Amino acid sequence: MKLAILDDYQRLALRVADWDRLRKRGVEITVFEQAFASADDAAAKLAPFDILCLMRERTPFPRALIERLPQLKFMALTGQRASSLDLAACSARRIPVSNTGAGNTNAPTAELSWLLILAAARDFAKAERGMRAGRWHEGLAGGKILEGRRLGLIGLGKLGARVARYGAAFGMEVVAWSQNLTPERAAEAGARLVTKEALLESSDIVSIHLVLSERTRGLVGAAELERIKPGAILVNTSRGPIVDELAMLAALKSGRLGHAALDVYDREPLPADHPLRSLDNVTLSPHLGYVSEDVFEVFYRGALEDIEAWLDGAPIRVMNPEASA
């Protein structure tokens, strides 16, 4: 029996779960720590495996890929859902998929959002690069203070509400907008509901906290970036395609958008020659949102339990019970 662990390029899977329990049962384990170059590459490398342990939606598994994995018998998915996994295709192949606990993914993502807000406001990444290169102050050192400025949150769910509280603690005025947000719900989170247009035009920092869907794809496009307050900071820790990447690049180059602090991208990993990497007014992180040892312990220990239960003939937390019917 062969197991492939897709380790999300973080190299934490083997550290946080006792995979020797499977080795003692004769399971051969291979860890993939790098992104697949293409669907063909994924199909070729994963074809020999009976079991896959997936890191949420980081590697898409559409029907076309699933049908090219002849040995596949079971999948363990870290987290509770993945929009890029075709469950119907798994069921058609009689491949059960078990998930795990979610862990506390809200806290690390919200904390990273605030880290990016602080780094962008103080232009910290540029200062850090200069220090490593042997330089000292360059231009206006220290950037902008947050106290007294306006924080605009696009999305005020569990993540957005946490960031709203951080903003209040820093003495910021917090406004928010989403398609279904009510004044009462905004007030509960310590924010004031405004229109999307007003949020863009008046906020010093715009931070996105929405799930990617057909309604939110391209939500912040050229028209929205034309409206944004000149010199504003845009923060995205949700999903890259919520923002029109080409329009964002144009706004950054023109100076209309003062700074972008990003953890998510249209294509991940971000290509080495991507133009975002060469702009000074950009702070980048490699999709670290929920990545923490605490969360990965929940993910991979749960995945190990899922695999053991399936090997015992009594799978748990099955997302598609029809696959075993």
Side-chain angles (χ1 to χ4, degrees):
M1 193 73 68
K2 293 185 176 183
L3 162 66
I5 302 174
L6 278 58
D7 191 18
D8 189 35
Y9 337 125
Q10 307 298 337
R11 300 176 177 84
L12 279 173
L14 296 181
R15 228 171 55 215
V16 298
D18 183 12
W19 298 99
D20 280 339
R21 292 179 358 210
L22 295 182
R23 292 189 180 96
K24 290 174 182 176
R25 300 180 65 161
V27 177
E28 180 184 330
I29 299 174
T30 302
V31 179
F32 291 92
E33 296 178 346
Q34 300 298 322
F36 297 110
S38 63
D40 287 342
D41 184 40
K45 289 177 178 174
L46 297 178
F49 293 94
D50 306 277
I51 307 167
L52 299 182
C53 177
L54 313 182
M55 169 48 74
R56 292 185 67 179
E57 72 274 25
R58 294 300 181 90
T59 300
F61 276 84
R63 181 180 296 271
L65 176 56
I66 292 166
E67 290 177 346
R68 296 174 68 184
L69 303 177
Q71 298 300 316
L72 185 58
K73 301 176 182 66
F74 178 71
M75 301 171 85
L77 172 71
T78 61
Q80 296 183 317
R81 62 183 173 85
S83 59
S84 60
L85 171 62
D86 191 330
L87 270 180
C90 293
S91 298
R93 282 273 314 276
R94 300 290 213 185
I95 300 167
V97 181
S98 292
N99 61 15
T100 70
N104 183 1
T105 58
N106 291 324
T109 304
E111 290 170 7
L112 180 72
S113 298
W114 202 255
L115 184 156
L116 290 174
I117 287 170
L118 283 170
R122 301 300 296 268
D123 208 5
F124 184 78
K126 182 179 179 181
E128 202 270 349
R129 290 193 301 269
M131 284 291 290
R132 287 185 180 275
R135 301 189 296 273
W136 194 237
H137 291 309
E138 294 181 344
L140 179 63
K144 303 174 180 178
I145 62 172
L146 297 178
E147 186 174 356
R149 297 187 186 273
R150 177 173 284 188
L151 171 63
L153 301 174
I154 298 180
L156 197 64
K158 293 178 180 179
L159 283 169
R162 283 177 179 262
V163 177
R165 293 196 294 272
Y166 300 162
F170 273 73
M172 301 187 77
E173 178 193 5
V174 183
V175 297
W177 172 87
S178 71
Q179 290 165 325
N180 298 314
L181 184 63
T182 65
E184 295 76 19
R185 175 69 188 90
E188 288 173 7
R192 180 167 58 87
L193 175 63
V194 297
T195 65
K196 182 172 71 169
E197 292 75 18
L199 184 150
L200 292 167
E201 291 168 358
S202 65
S203 297
D204 300 286
I205 295 170
V206 176
S207 189
I208 299 171
H209 303 282
L210 295 171
V211 173
L212 178 63
S213 68
E214 289 310 307
R215 288 201 309 172
T216 62
R217 187 179 295 273
L219 183 71
V220 179
E224 287 75 21
L225 291 168
E226 278 296 316
R227 279 185 176 272
I228 206 163
K229 184 176 181 179
I233 294 168
L234 177 66
V235 180
N236 189 5
T237 56
S238 294
R239 288 296 180 269
I242 294 173
V243 179
D244 183 314
E245 189 176 88
L246 291 177
M248 178 177 64
L249 282 166
L252 286 165
K253 290 175 182 178
S254 72
R256 175 76 188 188
L257 183 59
H259 201 108
L262 309 171
D263 187 47
V264 290
Y265 311 92
D266 283 4
R267 181 180 171 190
E268 297 182 0
L270 190 69
D273 60 351
H274 196 283
L276 279 170
R277 293 183 183 270
S278 63
L279 295 177
D280 270 350
N281 56 341
V282 174
T283 299
L284 305 174
S285 62
H287 202 155
L288 294 176
Y290 59 78
V291 175
S292 70
E293 192 154 330
D294 308 87
V295 171
F296 274 47
E297 284 178 358
V298 173
F299 280 178
Y300 284 114
R301 289 177 185 178
L304 176 57
E305 291 171 357
D306 290 341
I307 295 166
E308 288 178 315
W310 178 76
L311 289 171
D312 290 337
I316 57 175
R317 297 188 289 255
V318 179
M319 301 172 68
N320 57 338
E322 65 276 9
S324 303

